[in-house]
């Protein structure tokens, strides 16, 4: 006789294990639907390289400004005084250099020419007197010593003419030697550099927006003293907003720079396209800012992605994000 088989009894142990297997599979952690992240803003902190009292604050927090719009102004009284002093020094140095190149003024030259004409007339009279004295000595009317005196007077008169001619020639030429002229020109250049620096310091007391954007915050009130280099206004340009998210180490190898991702957030509407701009070279533990039970206490890599400037206006710093690969890419 063949043994009697009961199929339903043989399958019962297998069927009994199926609910247990399903229960065990439900206990296994499932991969997150998206990478967790948030919006980060790269703020532009506008400061003046000079110190002074804040005399005018032209913007308020939350205001949108255009590029080159005035932001604030510091007290520039000392800077304007320094610029005026530098301008005066430039004028003095230029006058000194010009004086070394032009010689004496016309009235002074006229005096020198008159003195030379007088000396020449005196020399002519001395020569005539010397001829007369020689004639008298030959006739025996005067002594030889008187002739010698006349000859000496004639020589002195001609020496005076030569002296005044040399003085007039010098007066008509530049009064400074080449080395003195070079020094005067160098002083002029130094004064001009000081003038440019003073003008720059005066200009730096007034600061404008380096780019269009949102005024995120102001740090001083009018009347307060601002040190050199201390930020007065912080700006957030549209293209300075980015997504920061954290990818597990098992998945980061499939990402690359320029790869397309989509950003999702509450109130954003349709997913926002972005492209990966940075992948951190080192892993870190999930930061406390990411509230995800599936990712806590895991090694992750920081990844950054940039949306288009028009789409970036939909994002706000600190806003939570869900980041997914763009359609057509795989995780």
């Amino acid at each position: 006789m063949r043994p009697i088989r009961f199929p339903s009894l043989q399958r019962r142990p297998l069927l009994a294990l199926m609910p247990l297997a399903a229960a065990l599979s439900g206990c296994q952690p499932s991969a997150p639907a998206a990478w967790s992240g948030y919006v980060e803003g790269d703020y532009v902190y506008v400061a003046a390289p000079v110190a002074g009292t804040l005399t005018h604050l032209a913007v308020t927090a939350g205001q949108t400004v255009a590029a080159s719009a005035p932001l604030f102004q510091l007290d520039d009284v000392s800077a304007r005084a320094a610029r005026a002093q530098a301008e005066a020094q430039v004028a003095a140095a230029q006058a000194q250099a010009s004086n070394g190149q032009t010689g004496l003024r016309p009235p002074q030259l006229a005096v020198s020419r008159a003195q030379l004409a007088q000396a020449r007339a005196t020399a002519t009279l001395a020569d005539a007197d010397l001829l007369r004295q020689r004639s008298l000595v030959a006739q025996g009317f005067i002594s030889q010593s008187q002739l010698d005196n006349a000859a000496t007077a004639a020589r002195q008169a001609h020496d005076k003419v030569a002296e005044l001619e040399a003085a007039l020639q010098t007066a008509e030429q530049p009064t400074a030697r080449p080395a003195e002229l070079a020094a005067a020109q160098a002083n002029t250049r130094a004064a001009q550099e000081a003038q440019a620096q003073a003008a720059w310091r005066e200009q730096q007391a007034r600061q404008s927006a380096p780019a269009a954007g949102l005024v995120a915050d102001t740090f001083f009130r009018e009347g307060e003293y601002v040190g050199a280099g201390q930020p007065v206004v912080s700006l957030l340009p549209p293209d300075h907003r980015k997504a920061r998210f954290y990818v597990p180490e098992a998945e980061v190898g499939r990402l690359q720079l320029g790869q397309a991702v989509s950003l999702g957030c509450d109130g954003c509407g349709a997913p926002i396209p972005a492209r990966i701009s940075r992948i951190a070279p080192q892993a870190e533990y999930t930061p406390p800012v990411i509230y995800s039970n599936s990712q806590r206490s895991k090694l992750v890599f920081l990844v950054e992605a940039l949306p288009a400037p028009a789409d970036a206006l939909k994002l706000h710093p600190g806003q939570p994000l869900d980041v997914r690969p763009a359609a057509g890419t795989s995780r």
Side-chain angles (χ1 to χ4, degrees):
M1 294 180 63
R2 294 181 180 180
I4 300 174
R5 297 181 179 179
F6 300 92
S8 60
L9 294 177
Q10 292 180 357
R11 292 174 183 168
R12 186 175 298 171
L14 180 59
L15 295 174
L17 290 176
M18 292 178 64
L20 178 61
L24 292 176
S25 62
C27 296
Q28 299 297 324
S30 59
W35 299 307
S36 298
Y38 59 93
V39 180
E40 176 77 1
D42 288 334
Y43 296 93
V44 177
Y45 296 93
V46 184
V50 296
T53 301
L54 181 61
T55 58
H56 180 60
L57 183 61
V59 295
T60 57
Q63 176 182 351
T64 301
V65 296
S68 302
L71 297 179
F72 65 90
Q73 180 174 349
L74 304 180
D75 180 20
D76 60 350
V77 174
S78 61
R80 286 188 282 110
R83 179 178 56 82
Q85 180 182 6
E87 290 175 352
Q89 291 174 345
V90 169
Q94 290 176 339
Q96 182 179 3
S98 177
N99 183 60
Q101 294 175 346
T102 57
L104 296 180
R105 294 176 297 176
Q108 295 174 315
L109 292 176
V111 172
S112 298
R113 293 190 181 100
Q115 291 175 343
L116 176 59
Q118 182 179 2
R120 286 173 176 169
T122 302
T124 301
L125 291 176
D127 289 340
D129 184 62
L130 178 59
L131 291 176
R132 189 168 50 255
Q133 297 290 343
R134 285 175 180 172
S135 175
L136 294 175
V137 167
Q139 297 177 10
F141 292 111
I142 59 174
S143 62
Q144 183 65 35
S145 61
Q146 290 177 313
L147 177 62
D148 294 339
N149 291 336
T152 301
R155 286 195 304 270
Q156 290 177 346
H158 285 283
D159 291 342
K160 185 63 174 179
V161 170
E163 177 186 352
L164 291 177
E165 287 176 344
L168 180 60
Q169 184 179 6
T170 301
E172 291 174 342
Q173 299 297 322
T175 58
R177 294 175 297 177
E180 293 175 343
L181 286 175
Q185 293 170 351
N187 289 336
T188 301
R189 291 192 297 269
Q192 290 171 342
E193 292 295 334
Q195 179 187 12
Q197 184 179 8
W200 176 83
R201 292 180 64 85
E202 182 182 1
Q203 182 182 8
Q204 292 304 308
R206 299 182 297 273
Q207 290 295 319
S208 302
L214 175 70
V215 178
D217 202 356
T218 59
F219 307 108
F220 289 89
R221 299 183 181 91
E222 293 181 357
E224 293 181 332
Y225 183 81
V226 181
Q230 285 188 290
V232 177
V233 176
S234 63
L235 295 176
L236 182 59
D239 56 349
H240 283 211
R241 307 183 193 201
K242 60 187 178 183
R244 304 187 78 187
F245 56 99
Y246 296 86
V247 179
E249 56 180 338
E251 302 178 27
V252 72
R254 292 192 288 269
L255 300 181
Q256 58 184 353
L257 294 178
Q259 181 176 337
V261 295
S262 62
L263 312 178
C265 60
D266 295 337
C268 292
I272 299 174
R275 291 193 175 273
I276 295 177
S277 59
R278 178 196 174 204
I279 301 175
Q282 294 182 345
E284 59 181 292
Y285 284 103
T286 306
V289 72
I290 302 299
Y291 297 99
S292 173
N293 291 330
S294 62
Q295 291 189 9
R296 64 183 181 182
S297 301
K298 289 185 178 180
L299 285 176
V300 292
F301 284 81
L302 169 65
V303 181
E304 295 180 353
L306 293 176
D311 292 329
L313 293 175
K314 304 175 184 178
L315 304 177
H316 305 280
Q319 186 177 21
L321 293 175
D322 291 327
V323 185
R324 293 178 173 83
T329 60
S330 60
R331 290 183 56 172

